[in-house]
């Protein structure tokens, strides 16, 4: 199994420590979402992974080999601040980048045609990049990352500023790439999107990975909670170990601790029905947004522990 | 699934240079600058040609029948002093005076013995005096020789061939007008083209840095390849431009016969101008590429390259203000061997024909010997600085620092 492995990266800019022991893996065929507040170290990590920045310590390996120039040229990279010649035509630009990656002229042209069509910018091939809308520039930027048929994708904020249709197009492309066995690492602040698209998520805070895992894994909490709509909240007191977390009109959130029996949900439902008609009874899991808020606001959680959980 | 193959450094440099060339050749700025320069050179040549062709109209001299015998001698004297003369016989002195008054004649010779007698409307004027003075002396000498029983023709021949034997201890270089103009043009052209091409390199480096396209490019090519391709591509563009300008100048000069009477060796001057462009460009482009890589915004290019631009202005000013008037000035001679100065000064000295071939070759060799050092310097600074975005990097940090693109270890 091919794996892009980021281990123990350290990086300081002067006195600012940008990365401390940044460690995670992205497997082939997996879409890995990289989230964290601005300045948490996502871009720094990605720039080190693609080799445009050197780490103070730590390694980046692909299939167990350190990422060197030969591997780097097989990475498709989308930098955060984008990078295309503003005054060069879209088609010329993509063909040029493909040729520099070793495609012959005909293959480079075919690849340019394929990706501009897939990403819906085929009408813009003859335009200079600076004449395109921001959304279209971004599509071209993704095409530039894909045009040499990379084995690894590293995309810094590929979705920022895209309209919903473009988001769908780009999500589709990332899924296709992952389906072909490419590891896809991307960063985003659009957490719903990350939740929907990613196989695994890494949450970064202050230069370290504080939570890594599958979405469901991360949403797994010691406490279990349900939303009950209908009966007054007092019904919960008849179930041992249950407590009311919140109550808003007819909606009540009830939680139980880790020691509660497996069928506690059935007990809760029966108690609720006994107290009155139940219109909704649903397990409540934390969303990625809630997890994220929890993780980035709590004091340093030992990253190693979470790493154990998710590994 | 993987289409990426390792490409050779040569192929990478060719592709990068090719992009520069295609991009510049299709840019309006480049095309119009070249057209303007060529037009300036051609029009300047045409203007010079027209001025040179405007010969003084021949002086019309009337001769009465008594003076008709002096016609050939008059024309010959006129030719000797550079005044073209046309003679015509007039029926009588009175008829000749009428022609003088109407302006059809410039002078009327009425008799040659005992004295040369000339009638004019107002004054003889400088050109007239230049012809009739010597003519009168010749006639007087001729009659004196005849009186003494000699042959005036053989005496005239002896006089004509008599010349002093001059030995010069410190011969001053003879520089004619065409050489001075060529010296000026060589100086100005080299300065303009090196300045323009050098700035294109600097702007090109920062364009890639500021647009971050360098991050994509350096994932597949090495920094030195990117820099070499850019310098090579813009150098070829600059060569195309200077060959076009110099070539059109040479063609114009030959078409109008501008250098027929000059000792200017136009072909040699033109070829050396192009060669010195190539040498000068290689040196300045490497330094400018390295310096430009220290900054990330086009606004900062000016400040970081201004010391080098200043370095270009010095030899240019010295060259065009001193060399044409004093080609052997020691300052000019010595500075023309200094590597960063010789690309400006040597072409001027060559145009003035004030330099021996070995001197030119020595200066070129000094420059070429420095180029490997510049390649090392520029490669190191560029590689260390080009991926560093944000503020300006200090030159010594870029020279010292570990390459930022090195893989983490």
């Amino acid at each position: 199994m091919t794996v892009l492995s980021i281990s123990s990266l350290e990086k300081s800019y002067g006195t600012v420590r940008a990365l401390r022991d940044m460690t995670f893996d992205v497997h082939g065929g997996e879409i890995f979402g990289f989230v964290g507040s601005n300045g948490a170290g996502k871009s720094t990590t990605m720039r080190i992974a693609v080799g445009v920045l050197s780490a103070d310590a730590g390694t980046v390996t692909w299939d167990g080999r350190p990422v060197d120039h030969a591997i780097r040229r097989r990475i498709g990279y989308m930098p955060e601040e984008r990078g295309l010649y503003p005054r060069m035509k879209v088609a010329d630009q993509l063909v040029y980048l493909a040729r520099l990656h070793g495609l012959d002229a005909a293959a480079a042209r075919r690849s340019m045609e394929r990706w501009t069509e897939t990403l819906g910018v085929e009408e813009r091939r003859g335009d200079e990049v600076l004449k395109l809308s921001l959304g279209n520039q971004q599509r071209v930027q993704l095409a530039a990352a894909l045009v040499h048929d990379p084995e690894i994708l590293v995309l810094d904020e590929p979705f920022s500023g895209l309209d919903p249709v473009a988001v769908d197009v780009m999500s589709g492309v990332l899924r296709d790439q992952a389906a072909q066995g490419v590891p896809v690492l991307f960063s985003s602040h659009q957490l719903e999107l990350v939740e929907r698209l990613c196989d695994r998520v890494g949450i970064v805070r202050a230069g370290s990975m504080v939570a890594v895992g599958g979405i469901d894994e991360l949403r797994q909490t010691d406490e279990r909670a349900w939303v009950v709509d209908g009966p007054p909240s007092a019904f919960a007191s008849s179930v041992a170990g249950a407590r009311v977390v919140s109550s808003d009109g007819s909606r009540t959130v009830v939680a139980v601790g880790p020691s509660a029996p497996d069928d506690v949900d059935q007990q809760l439902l029966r108690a609720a029905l006994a107290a009155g008609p139940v219109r909704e009874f649903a397990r409540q899991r934390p969303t990625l947004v809630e997890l994220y808020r929890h993780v980035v606001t709590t004091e340093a959680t030992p990253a190693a522990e979470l790493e154990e959980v998710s590994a | 699934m993987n289409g990426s193959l390792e490409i050779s450094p040569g192929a990478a440099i060719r592709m990068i240079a090719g992009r520069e060339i295609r991009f510049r050749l299709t840019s309006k700025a480049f095309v119009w600058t070249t057209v303007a320069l060529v037009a300036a050179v051609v029009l300047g040549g045409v203007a010079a040609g027209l001025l040179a062709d405007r010969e003084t109209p021949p002086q019309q001299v009337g001769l009465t029948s008594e003076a008709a015998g002096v016609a050939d001698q008059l024309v010959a004297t006129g030719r000797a002093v550079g005044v073209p003369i046309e003679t015509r016989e007039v029926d009588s002195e009175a008829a000749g005076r009428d022609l003088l008054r109407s302006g059809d004649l410039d002078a009327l010779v009425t008799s040659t013995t005992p004295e040369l007698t000339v009638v004019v409307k107002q004054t003889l004027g400088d050109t007239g005096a230049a012809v009739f003075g010597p003519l009168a002396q010749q006639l007087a000498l001729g009659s004196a020789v005849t009186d003494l029983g000699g042959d005036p023709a053989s005496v005239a021949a002896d006089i004509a061939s008599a010349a002093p034997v001059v030995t010069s201890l410190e011969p001053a270089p003879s520089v004619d007008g065409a050489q001075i103009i060529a010296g000026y043009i060589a100086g100005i052209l080299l300065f303009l083209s090196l300045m323009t091409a050098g700035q294109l390199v600097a702007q090109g480096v920062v364009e890639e840095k500021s647009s971050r396209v360098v991050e994509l490019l350096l994932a597949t090519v090495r920094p030195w390849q990117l820099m070499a391709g850019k310098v090579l591509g813009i150098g070829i563009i600059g060569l195309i431009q200077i060959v076009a300008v110099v070539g059109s100048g040479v063609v114009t000069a030959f078409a109008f016969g501008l250098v027929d009477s000059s000792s200017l060796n136009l072909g040699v001057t033109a070829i050396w101008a192009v060669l010195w462009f190539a040498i000068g460009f290689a040196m300045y482009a490497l330094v400018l590429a390295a310096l430009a890589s220290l900054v990330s915004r086009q606004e900062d290019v000016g400040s970081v390259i201004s010391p080098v631009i200043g370095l270009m202005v010095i030899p240019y000013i010295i060259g065009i203000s001193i060399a044409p008037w004093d080609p052997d000035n020691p300052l000019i001679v010595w500075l023309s061997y200094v590597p960063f100065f010789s690309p400006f000064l040597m072409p001027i000295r060559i145009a003035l024909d004030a330099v021996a071939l070995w001197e030119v070759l020595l200066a070129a060799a000094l420059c070429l010997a420095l180029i490997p050092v510049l390649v090392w310097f520029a490669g190191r600074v560029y590689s260390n600085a080009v991926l560093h975005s944000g503020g300006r990097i200090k030159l010594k940090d870029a020279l010292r620092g570990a390459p930022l693109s090195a893989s983490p270890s």
Side-chain angles (χ1 to χ4, degrees), chain B residues 60 88 90 94-108 120-122:
Chain B
Q60 300 292 333
R88 58 198 271 198
V90 294
R97 285 172 190 259
D98 287 342
L99 288 171
L100 271 179
R101 283 196 193 90
S102 67
D104 289 335
L105 286 182
D106 295 306
L108 174 68
V120 296
K121 190 176 174 184
Q122 285 173 327

Side-chain angles (χ1 to χ4, degrees), chain A residues 47 81, chain B residues 206 209-210 212 215 292-297 300 385-393:
Chain A
R47 285 162 62 84
E81 296 188 46
Chain B
V206 177
K209 246 191 117 170
S210 66
R212 303 300 179 105
E215 297 195 358
S293 71
L294 299 175
V295 299
S296 305
R297 298 182 307 161
D300 298 332
V386 74
L387 283 171
H388 186 107
S389 49
R392 178 176 170 174
I393 309 158

Side-chain angles (χ1 to χ4, degrees), chain A residues 16 36 48 54 82 87 125 203 222:
Chain A
V16 181
I48 290 171
S54 62
R82 312 307 173 221
R87 297 199 170 274
R125 281 175 195 157
I203 303 176
D222 292 345

Side-chain angles (χ1 to χ4, degrees), chain B residues 281-293 305 308 340 374 377-378:
Chain B
F281 176 80
M283 302 175 74
Y284 279 103
L286 287 169
V287 174
L288 289 173
L291 291 180
S293 71
I305 67 171
V308 178
F340 279 96
L374 293 175
F377 164 82

Side-chain angles (χ1 to χ4, degrees), chain A residues 105-254:
Chain A
R109 181 144 283 279
R110 275 198 307 277
S111 183
M112 176 278 290
E113 284 168 358
R114 175 179 156 215
W115 285 114
T116 47
E117 260 162 48
T118 306
L119 292 165
V121 283
E122 69 268 30
E123 304 291 326
R124 297 278 175 234
R125 281 175 195 157
D127 291 345
E128 289 175 357
V129 169
L130 89 169
K131 296 200 174 126
L132 302 185
S133 67
L134 281 178
N136 278 339
Q137 286 188 18
Q138 202 140 323
R139 294 175 194 227
V140 175
Q141 194 74 53
L142 183 65
L146 291 164
V147 76
H148 57 285
D149 221 345
E151 286 177 31
I152 306 164
L153 275 178
V154 177
L155 311 171
D156 205 346
E157 305 250 10
F159 294 101
S160 74
L162 288 185
D163 65 46
V165 175
V167 167
D168 289 346
V169 170
M170 211 170 271
S171 308
V173 169
L174 298 196
R175 282 201 190 94
D176 285 350
Q177 290 292 305
Q180 290 171 37
V182 173
V184 179
L185 167 63
F186 80 94
S187 64
S188 181
H189 291 297
Q190 285 148 281
L191 298 177
E192 289 83 2
L193 180 71
V194 171
E195 198 167 354
R196 205 164 65 229
L197 191 59
C198 292
D199 301 304
R200 287 203 307 142
V201 179
I203 303 176
V204 193
R205 196 193 52 206
S208 304
M209 195 60 98
V210 286
V212 189
I215 298 281
D216 289 337
E217 250 179 291
L218 289 176
R219 290 170 70 181
Q220 205 81 53
T221 47
D222 292 345
E223 260 194 0
R224 283 177 290 166
W226 288 265
V227 179
V228 185
D229 188 5
S233 59
F235 78 90
S237 57
S238 63
V239 178
R243 62 188 172 81
V244 174
V245 176
S246 68
S247 177
D248 178 18
S250 61
R251 292 175 71 86
T252 306
V253 177
V254 185

Side-chain angles (χ1 to χ4, degrees), chain B residues 237-291:
Chain B
I237 280 293
L239 265 183
I240 292 173
Q241 193 169 49
I242 198 163
V243 165
V245 174
V246 168
S248 60
V250 170
V251 168
T252 310
F254 278 123
F256 285 88
L258 295 181
V259 290
D260 290 352
S261 61
S262 167
S263 50
L264 172 66
N265 194 335
L266 193 56
V268 169
T269 303
I271 289 168
W272 273 115
V274 172
L275 288 176
W276 276 111
F277 170 80
I279 295 170
F281 176 80
M283 302 175 74
Y284 279 103
L286 287 169
V287 174
L288 289 173
L291 291 180

